[in-house]
Amino acid sequence: MISFVSRKRDQVLRAGFRALNAVVRPAVRAGIGNPLPLGAGATVVETRGRRSGLPRQVPLLSLRAMDAVVVSTVRSDSQWIANLEATPQARVWIGGRARPASATVRRGPVNVAVLHLTANRVG
């Protein structure tokens, strides 16, 4: 019974995050709430699905220090972290534009990804 309740709770949480992300993602991609070169704000991180190979976008709160963007989660099952571990090349949406980045992931009580922005801008 506990397993059933736990599974249902997880399904409801995932559905809730998907619905929230569908509303927030377009605004953040457009640059609303993005961090300045030094500061905190929301960004969209685009990873490559490790199984599907398809692009996956998730809005995340971040800290930015020039060309380094730090994002984190306490959830051990966050798919975007697993995708970055499998393929560290990503894109970060800042100022309404995608910037290519390379990620370094550290697992622990707080899972952290540091996305190092590269000089070339992507469409």
Side-chain angles (χ1 to χ4, degrees), residues 17-88:
F17 276 118
R18 280 191 201 108
L20 179 62
N21 288 347
V23 172
V24 171
R25 184 176 32 247
V28 175
R29 267 189 57 158
I32 297 171
N34 289 168
L36 297 172
L38 290 173
T43 55
V44 170
V45 174
E46 182 177 306
T47 64
R48 182 79 38 201
R50 64 193 179 286
R51 293 186 188 130
S52 69
L54 297 173
R56 303 293 183 198
Q57 295 182 350
V58 60
L60 299 166
L61 292 178
S62 64
L63 292 173
R64 182 175 176 200
M66 303 306 287
D67 288 337
V69 177
V70 180
V71 291
S72 67
T73 182
V74 295
R75 296 179 56 218
S76 62
D77 63 344
S78 290
Q79 298 302 305
W80 62 267
I81 280 278
N83 289 343
L84 286 174
E85 286 176 319
T87 306

Side-chain angles (χ1 to χ4, degrees), residues 73-114:
T73 182
V74 295
R75 296 179 56 218
S76 62
D77 63 344
S78 290
Q79 298 302 305
W80 62 267
I81 280 278
N83 289 343
L84 286 174
E85 286 176 319
T87 306
Q89 291 73 37
R91 296 197 315 171
V92 178
W93 290 81
I94 296 177
R97 295 191 169 269
R99 298 271 313 266
S102 179
T104 304
V105 176
R106 294 232 168 116
R107 290 278 189 164
V110 176
N111 301 308
V112 176
V114 179

